[in-house]
Amino acid sequence: MACAALCVRTFLHVPKLEACEIGCRTLHTTNRRASKEYYDVVVVGGGAGGIAMSARMKRTLGAGKVAVIEPSETHYYQPLWTLVGAGAKQVATSARPTASTIPSGVKWIKSTVQEFDPDRNCICVADGKEISYKYLIVALGLELQFEKVKGLPEGFGYPKIGSNYSVHTVEKTWKALQDFKEGNAIFTFPNTPVKCAGAPQKIMYLSETYFRKTGKRSKANVIFNTSLEKLFGVDKYRIALENITKDRNIQVNYRHNLIEVKADKQEAVFEKLDNPGETITYKYDMLHVTPPMGPYEVQKNSPLADSVGWLDVDKDTLQHKKYPNVFGIGDCTNLPTSKTAAAVAGQSAVLHGTISKIMKNEKPVKKYDGYTSCPLVTSYNTVILAEFDYSCQPLETFPIDQGKERWTMFYMKSIAMPIIYWYGLLKGIWGGPAPIRKLLHLGFK
């Protein structure tokens, strides 16, 4: 959520006002107070975490007491973009009007945040309005930073290049895949945290499958250039993926970070992270870019951030480490787990319990175990369903070996999960598969 307008503080002598009234002012309200609103709970961000928590808090507190700040007119189910980029789904099927996702009885403040002022329980938004709260839930997500790669985002104006991470570039991936004739098909992973860390590989496996189906595989060099030291952080799934790349003759180059795209020449420049200053240039006939990502500036520059800009929350309760009436969920936080919609689901149930206890002046009981999931799409009809916790140990829902490619998991990814998202998670009902796991594993973890 970008913060476009300016926020100006006044240090002139003024009569004593309510805390929020002396907070944020814009150039348009220099000589008069900005309008002010109050809600028991304010949620910043209307993505998966923000809408889920809005629904839960509205059920807890009732209508008119919860507000969500979100500027976007459209809400996207982003996990579907993996299949959109491979031509298996249409981008329109991932979109719904934001208005249709806002729970009834929750106020939608269609604006961007200029400033967090947690010492005054106040937020300043772009139109000069001041929003005060008793409890704050930050669900800002993270920011795509294509501009940190030289030659981007303008390089997307050329053919042969796309990215499944943006609604503006995901269809370019499918076009590049269709137009591929021969040469290098390169897939990248940046030297930053990312959301859905498996996605850069998913489109690679789908593309390799497409090349085989269309008779182009013998002319394709499929290359995965990743800044990481290994394919996946959980050994069980890493071994399975390494076997797939070996069996399908996919070249994996570790510690290679994309720093420049020369789209007019169809060249991609990578730095070798283990040899500072050394670069290598590849020609490409298809390039899929996973952009660098990071926290939004409005959060990074606030008292709520840790040393690198992520929301500083307790990993067990999701309560802010400094401000006890502030909480966080999802990609914007510094929780040491993979940033996925599945993680948001698990976090939403725990966070609801945490806030409910805090509201009663009681100590939170529920603890988030770091549960996250990544359906690793390996073809147009197979998925390895990776599920794991903070310790990077498998935390699987089904009593089968989820480290194997299965068609059942593909249909769960492509059909069941979108339904669970729209009608479970966003309604504040779905809090992850923990109860199902417990049942299927006879009460054992």
Side-chain angles (χ1 to χ4, degrees), residues 402-427:
Q402 292 180 200
K404 294 183 178 181
E405 297 176 88
R406 298 181 184 274
W407 66 266
T408 51
M409 298 304 166
F410 177 84
Y411 288 103
M412 188 172 74
K413 151 75 177 176
S414 61
I415 297 174
M417 287 184 179
I419 295 172
I420 292 171
Y421 181 86
W422 293 115
Y423 300 103
L425 177 57
L426 296 193
K427 302 298 183 183

Side-chain angles (χ1 to χ4, degrees), residues 142-198:
L142 50 66
E143 182 178 42
L144 304 181
Q145 300 172 335
F146 284 109
E147 71 282 357
K148 289 193 173 182
V149 177
K150 187 177 180 181
L152 296 181
E154 59 271 20
F156 289 111
Y158 291 82
K160 309 288 188 178
I161 178 173
S163 176
N164 287 357
Y165 275 88
S166 168
V167 69
H168 303 296
T169 57
V170 62
E171 291 176 304
K172 294 179 184 294
T173 302
W174 173 228
K175 184 68 166 59
L177 184 55
Q178 290 175 294
D179 291 346
F180 180 89
K181 292 181 174 58
E182 62 179 340
N184 294 332
I186 302 175
F187 304 83
T188 75
F189 192 109
N191 193 28
T192 68
V194 301
K195 54 183 173 181
C196 192

Side-chain angles (χ1 to χ4, degrees), residues 260-277:
E260 183 177 2
V261 174
K262 300 176 182 178
D264 57 332
K265 300 179 180 179
Q266 290 177 216
E267 293 180 347
V269 182
F270 294 82
E271 62 176 335
K272 293 187 175 182
L273 296 175
D274 291 334
N275 298 288

Side-chain angles (χ1 to χ4, degrees), residues 198-199 201-202 205 232 237 241 374-378 382-386:
Q201 291 185 59
K202 297 176 191 180
Y205 300 129
F232 204 77
Y237 310 120
L241 295 173
C374 184
L376 294 158
V377 182
T378 55
T382 55
V383 157
I384 292 174
L385 183 58

